[in-house]
Amino acid sequence: MNPSSLEGLIEALRCLPGVGPKSAQRMAYYLLQHDRAGAKRLAEGIDTALRAVQHCVRCNTFTESETCDRCTSSKRDPTQLCIVETPVDMNMMEQAHAYNGLYYVLMGRISPLDGVGPRELKLDRLLARAGDGIVREVILATNYTNEGEATAHYLSELLKSRAVLAEEFILLRRAEWDGEDRTMEIHRYIDEACSKGWLRGGGVPLPPLRV
């Protein structure tokens, strides 16, 4: 039987994705037997990040300030808003130098099997961001998985029916993103996602979500 503190470490390591009981046990044994200095750096790094890192109030990515450097940059096009699933997706797009607008990071995707729905993604923040009166083009760059496609479909319907936009016209596009080749093709998804008939507040009921 392991000491209680060791069992606690093993259980804590199991929170990592793809790490089961045996893998967590091997990690714990390795850190304590072969790399205690590394274990200390890991603990300090996690503690520092937890205290310092927060969500950007505009794009929802990770930052150490209220608003991230990308959102405050005068070199970005504020009329374009690209919606991605994770900060990793955003960083990969930045490395490709294929886009110069701003982002909104969902921090996930709609996945009913995992208990993640629209409420968990806090889409009210996205609606407020898209309806700031500056955004004229929304690019849906969720991944081409079943969950990513379901998320893109739901967001397109949500933006069409419930967004509160100051502008009379916004173009909604779908991005085909190849992370390995670092290429992105932006296709016309909806010619007129909004016009003078845009609903301000309330909106119409969304169609049922199918995954």
Side-chain angles (χ1 to χ4, degrees), residues 18 21 56 72 94 107 152 182 192:
C56 173
T72 57
E94 286 294 284
M107 291 293 175
R182 293 182 178 178
E192 292 189 7

Side-chain angles (χ1 to χ4, degrees), residues 105-207:
V105 184
L106 295 171
M107 291 293 175
R109 58 193 177 186
I110 294 175
S111 179
L113 293 178
D114 297 320
V116 180
R119 181 176 299 177
E120 284 70 29
L121 295 181
K122 300 178 180 179
L123 296 183
D124 55 327
R125 294 186 59 189
L126 171 59
L127 288 179
R129 180 69 182 86
D132 64 0
I134 299 175
V135 174
R136 297 298 304 275
E137 181 177 359
V138 174
I139 300 167
L140 300 174
T142 54
N143 295 319
Y144 271 80
T145 60
N146 289 337
E147 294 85 355
E149 286 292 277
T151 302
H153 171 73
Y154 187 90
L155 290 178
S156 69
E157 296 300 320
L158 181 67
L159 289 167
K160 283 189 293 179
S161 64
R162 295 186 182 177
V164 181
L165 299 173
E167 297 293 341
E168 293 185 348
F169 176 84
I170 187 169
L171 185 65
L172 190 62
R173 295 180 184 270
R174 182 73 168 103
E176 185 172 341
W177 169 245
D178 190 329
E180 294 183 0
D181 294 336
R182 293 182 178 178
T183 58
M184 182 176 72
E185 294 183 9
I186 300 176
H187 306 283
R188 178 174 295 181
Y189 194 61
I190 296 173
D191 288 335
E192 292 189 7
C194 83
S195 63
K196 291 183 179 179
W198 264 83
L199 300 175
R200 298 183 178 276
V204 297
L206 289 174

